[in-house]
Amino acid sequence: AGTGGSCPQEFSALETGRTLPISMFYGYDNYEGRAHDRVNARSMSHVLAKKCHGKLSACGFSIVASSQSAVRLMRMLNGRKVEVNLFTSSLTDDAREDMVKGRFYRELVESDIVFYMGHSRLGGGLEFNPQTGVATLFNAIFRLPMLPVLKALRQRPTKLKMIGMFSCDSNKYFRQDLHGANPSLALILTPPDIYARPAEQASLGALDAVLSKKCARAFQESMMSANVPNPGTTYLIRGQ
């Protein structure tokens, strides 16, 4: 609906005067025998390119570049250029390592906002690879995939102001590590299991809330999905 008040003062950290870069990464999202990351990213680009209605801001974008692994969209919003990049994971191993993983670590430093949509892998890491159950258990214990993520988050200087984790139980699995690496980050987290459709709706709502500079309650309401209208499913934690 795009309702709710605007609180620009709560987004002062994002007011840099330059282009606002937002990176949305779709992890290797496989279930029911299929990988869904590519179609989810394509659906998001379709929605973002739609005509704006009412008070919505996550709309009216133009696709300016497209490749095997990414789609770039741009629009002017209140006199400022906004750039959204959508990255997918269903690639060959070599391409995935270079085009997705490498870019993910880089955007954790260079983008103002990074969203991750995919599996939590029992806390083993933000993954972009197909994975067996044995590998998932190993990574859940030793958490090796998280090491380069936390290294990027600890880097200074950094442009990153917000990271959103639209994956199962991301609050339990990742909150402490993300906060420890950079206490100033705003975090969007999910406490329970979350299915793909409500997670996609929540990520779109969060993006619109950021672009509309919505107040806390309106921000929260924006992330409630139509399928699972539970106000506690996804929530924002302000940075310190």
Side-chain angles (χ1 to χ4, degrees), residues 6-27:
S6 178
C7 292
Q9 69 278 6
E10 295 183 7
F11 297 86
S12 58
L14 295 173
E15 295 300 323
T16 62
R18 54 176 169 77
T19 297
L20 177 64
I22 301 171
S23 296
M24 304 179 71
F25 287 85
Y26 291 80

Side-chain angles (χ1 to χ4, degrees), residues 107-126:
E107 295 308 320
L108 287 174
V109 178
E110 297 181 357
S111 278
D112 283 25
I113 299 167
V114 172
F115 286 175
Y116 167 82
M117 287 72 66
H119 293 304
S120 290
R121 305 289 194 195
L122 300 178
L126 320 186

Side-chain angles (χ1 to χ4, degrees), residues 99-228:
M99 296 181 184
V100 183
K101 280 191 172 183
R103 187 67 185 267
F104 180 62
Y105 305 142
R106 187 163 72 247
E107 295 308 320
L108 287 174
V109 178
E110 297 181 357
S111 278
D112 283 25
I113 299 167
V114 172
F115 286 175
Y116 167 82
M117 287 72 66
H119 293 304
S120 290
R121 305 289 194 195
L122 300 178
L126 320 186
E127 263 304 331
F128 301 97
N129 301 309
Q131 199 169 99
T132 65
V134 173
T136 296
L137 290 175
F138 179 89
N139 288 329
I141 296 171
F142 296 102
R143 309 200 75 202
L144 298 181
M146 281 298 292
L147 297 181
V149 174
L150 298 178
K151 180 181 178 181
L153 292 178
R154 293 189 187 103
Q155 189 168 318
R156 303 293 186 274
T158 181
K159 296 177 181 176
L160 188 66
K161 309 298 190 305
M162 175 185 290
I163 184 167
M165 300 288 294
F166 300 90
S167 61
C168 288
D169 250 343
S170 61
N171 179 63
K172 179 178 76 174
Y173 291 133
F174 304 116
R175 179 178 179 177
Q176 185 174 349
D177 286 342
L178 299 178
H179 182 76
N182 188 343
S184 68
L185 284 180
L187 307 177
I188 299 176
L189 301 168
T190 58
D193 287 348
I194 186 169
Y195 291 99
R197 186 178 298 176
E200 287 300 298
Q201 294 172 354
S203 66
L204 175 62
L207 177 61
D208 184 76
V210 169
L211 296 179
S212 301
K213 302 178 182 178
K214 289 189 176 180
C215 301
R217 182 174 179 178
F219 199 116
Q220 191 68 42
E221 291 175 349
S222 293
M223 295 188 291
M224 289 175 56
S225 79
N227 299 84
V228 187

Side-chain angles (χ1 to χ4, degrees), residues 34-127:
R34 298 179 62 187
H36 297 262
D37 52 284
R38 190 176 297 277
V39 70
N40 288 344
R42 189 181 303 122
S43 298
M44 182 64 76
S45 67
H46 175 74
V47 171
L48 293 180
K50 281 191 171 184
K51 182 180 178 181
C52 290
H53 297 281
K55 296 181 180 180
L56 292 176
S57 297
C59 52
F61 282 82
S62 297
I63 297 175
V64 297
S66 181
S67 68
Q68 181 186 14
S69 63
V71 175
R72 179 182 299 170
L73 303 100
M74 303 282 291
R75 72 161 293 188
M76 294 297 297
L77 182 62
N78 299 322
R80 186 182 185 188
K81 187 179 292 185
V82 179
E83 175 183 311
V84 175
N85 287 284
L86 309 175
F87 299 93
T88 58
S89 305
S90 298
L91 306 165
T92 64
D93 291 343
D94 290 343
R96 186 186 303 116
E97 197 71 27
D98 181 52
M99 296 181 184
V100 183
K101 280 191 172 183
R103 187 67 185 267
F104 180 62
Y105 305 142
R106 187 163 72 247
E107 295 308 320
L108 287 174
V109 178
E110 297 181 357
S111 278
D112 283 25
I113 299 167
V114 172
F115 286 175
Y116 167 82
M117 287 72 66
H119 293 304
S120 290
R121 305 289 194 195
L122 300 178
L126 320 186
E127 263 304 331

